[in-house]
Amino acid sequence: MVKKAGRLARLGEAFNDAYGEGREEWTRAYRQGRKAAGEAENAPRWNEMSGAYPTGIRLTELVQDAVGKKLAPAEVDRRQIREDLGIGIKEGRAERVGQLLGTAAADLTQDNTRNFYWLLNAAQATGNVIAESAMGRANKALYGKSPIPGATNSAIPLNVKSAKRGGKYLDPQGNPRKGVSIAEDGTLEKRNFEPGHLAALGIPTGIAINTGLGLMSPFGGAEGYWAAMPSADDPTKTDNVLGEVALKYFMGKTGNLLPYDEFVKVRPDVSPEEYGAYQGFKYRRGEDWNPFDDGQTSMGAGLIRTTTDGIHGPELQFMGRSLPVTTGIVPYIGALAGGIAGVRSKRPILGGVGGGIAGLAAGQVVGQLLEGERRRRNAIENKSNNPDY
């Protein structure tokens, strides 16, 4: 009985300790791990979140230990860093169970898992995360750092002892300035690229996604849609450009489809039956994971929907926002491919942005050609099936 009470006490203590851990400790451990690996503190957002995600890390540790996996040197270093910070693995079965339960409970109150949903709960955000991660993998130096060369001899890195306090790299107290860090041996290092410049690499892919969603029309709605803030005289236009831009930029809001008698004036290739079927697709309920029966899917209570033959052709709907393949995803792929090629150049930022814009332009041309041909064929098919159409 006493032994059981002792186990419960140890379990409770470990639970309380893990439950009290905050994001600060895990973020600090992640950044120290990057520093030990010779990388800059900043990283792609997905890496930052997953690298400081307590629940995921604890489960990974559990699986690694359960199967007896041989740890890579980097993982050994990360475990040691967490141990040194007081958030390492608890020794003993009761302590380990208590730690896992405490981490799970902390996840509920600190929203650690829900943060991933909040990061990815819009097509623009998901597209940015994918682009950021892909370009980071294409050129590891984007999120790396380099020794600062000495003033008198560039072959010898600048050391914290010889660097001037209150100068370019150290403040008057000897602390590193923006973007500067101090290595274990005292060498001053600077990140290779500034975070704002890295964020600019996402401009072309961002344009592709926003255009595909119909958010790049400041004076009204996209083709066949109401404006987000419609005019009383013409609901496809807006009298409030600032309001229209604000709704689209901050809330990702687009207008609804026009009634069919108005919609067909700008989209004569769409029949009444196709229009009705598309409306049914947009608002259908229930789960449908099989795309092979009717070409449509609906997953996660409508979180993600797909169709192979909507009014925009093949289409992905994410959180109720329509992203056509031809005019949204094809340009995005072009922009991403151009950006990846560009960041591998000698000037990664300029090359990445320039390559992304070139890829975006090529993707938009290809996408528009595909969409134009699809509409032409659809109009011919509708005419042949219904001569009065």
Side-chain angles (χ1 to χ4, degrees):
M1 192 68 179
V2 174
K3 188 175 182 180
K4 183 177 180 180
R7 285 200 299 268
L8 287 174
R10 296 197 304 275
L11 186 150
E13 183 179 350
F15 175 94
N16 187 59
D17 189 37
Y19 183 76
E21 294 168 359
R23 299 173 189 172
E24 296 78 8
E25 289 85 14
W26 289 91
T27 300
R28 184 181 172 192
Y30 172 70
R31 289 182 173 174
Q32 285 191 15
R34 287 186 60 82
K35 182 178 180 180
E39 300 170 318
E41 283 191 355
N42 61 308
R45 279 166 290 182
W46 182 264
N47 295 31
E48 288 183 337
M49 287 189 63
S50 59
Y53 175 43
T55 305
I57 292 171
R58 290 292 181 227
L59 290 175
T60 300
E61 292 172 339
L62 182 65
V63 172
Q64 289 173 339
D65 294 346
V67 301
K69 179 182 178 182
K70 184 178 179 181
L71 302 178
E75 177 59 25
V76 173
D77 291 341
R78 286 192 289 266
R79 285 197 178 199
Q80 186 59 54
I81 288 170
R82 293 194 290 270
E83 183 70 31
D84 294 341
L85 291 175
I87 55 174
I89 300 171
K90 299 290 186 185
E91 297 293 335
R93 181 174 296 179
E95 290 84 348
R96 189 76 178 267
V97 170
Q99 184 179 52
L100 288 169
L101 292 174
T103 300
D107 193 309
L108 296 175
T109 55
Q110 298 182 36
D111 297 317
N112 293 326
T113 297
R114 286 205 296 177
N115 280 332
F116 286 94
Y117 168 74
W118 291 331
L119 175 67
L120 303 173
N121 70 350
Q124 303 98 310
T126 301
N128 286 342
V129 168
I130 292 172
E132 193 178 60
S133 298
M135 285 188 266
R137 288 192 183 96
N139 185 349
K140 301 290 187 183
L142 289 177
Y143 295 92
K145 57 184 179 180
S146 304
I148 297 173
T152 57
N153 187 347
S154 60
I156 301 176
L158 189 64
N159 192 276
V160 67
K161 294 180 180 179
S162 57
K164 178 184 177 182
R165 293 195 174 195
K168 185 177 180 180
Y169 303 114
L170 299 177
D171 67 15
Q173 289 73 42
N175 300 311
R177 293 192 184 276
K178 174 178 69 75
V180 177
S181 60
I182 303 173
E184 295 295 331
D185 62 357
T187 298
L188 289 183
E189 299 173 318
K190 196 173 191 312
R191 60 193 178 205
N192 295 333
F193 301 98
E194 297 300 315
H197 299 160
L198 293 170
L201 293 172
I203 291 174
T205 52
I207 293 173
I209 292 285
N210 282 287
T211 301
L213 292 172
L215 298 174
M216 298 293 283
S217 51
F219 303 108
E223 186 181 45
Y225 286 81
W226 291 54
M229 189 171 283
S231 164
D233 298 327
D234 181 356
T236 66
K237 308 295 182 185
T238 184
D239 294 328
N240 187 342
V241 174
L242 289 178
E244 183 84 5
V245 171
L247 284 176
K248 289 178 175 177
Y249 179 77
F250 291 107
M251 300 180 64
K253 181 176 174 57
T254 59
N256 294 324
L257 273 174
L258 292 170
Y260 181 74
D261 58 346
E262 295 295 326
F263 179 83
V264 73
K265 294 176 181 178
V266 292
R267 287 293 308 276
D269 59 295
V270 178
S271 69
E273 294 76 18
E274 290 169 329
Y275 180 91
Y278 183 74
Q279 289 281 46
F281 158 71
K282 280 179 67 71
Y283 301 108
R284 69 186 297 185
R285 296 181 180 274
E287 296 292 302
D288 178 6
W289 292 61
N290 181 13
F292 301 108
D293 53 357
D294 59 0
Q296 298 179 356
T297 64
S298 179
M299 296 172 278
L303 176 70
I304 296 175
R305 292 190 176 100
T306 63
T307 180
T308 57
D309 192 23
I311 61 173
H312 304 294
E315 178 183 315
L316 166 70
Q317 280 201 9
F318 189 84
M319 297 287 291
R321 300 290 186 262
S322 301
L323 185 63
V325 170
T326 53
T327 56
I329 295 178
V330 169
Y332 175 83
I333 292 173
L336 181 58
I340 289 173
V343 297
R344 289 172 171 159
S345 66
K346 292 181 179 180
R347 302 186 70 181
I349 302 299
L350 288 176
V353 174
I357 291 174
L360 169 64
Q364 287 179 326
V365 169
V366 171
Q368 290 294 338
L369 289 173
L370 291 172
E371 179 61 11
E373 177 62 14
R374 187 195 68 79
R375 292 186 186 186
R376 185 188 69 82
R377 292 186 178 185
N378 197 55
I380 293 174
E381 182 179 349
N382 287 334
K383 188 69 174 178
S384 64
N385 293 337
N386 183 6
D388 296 327
Y389 167 70

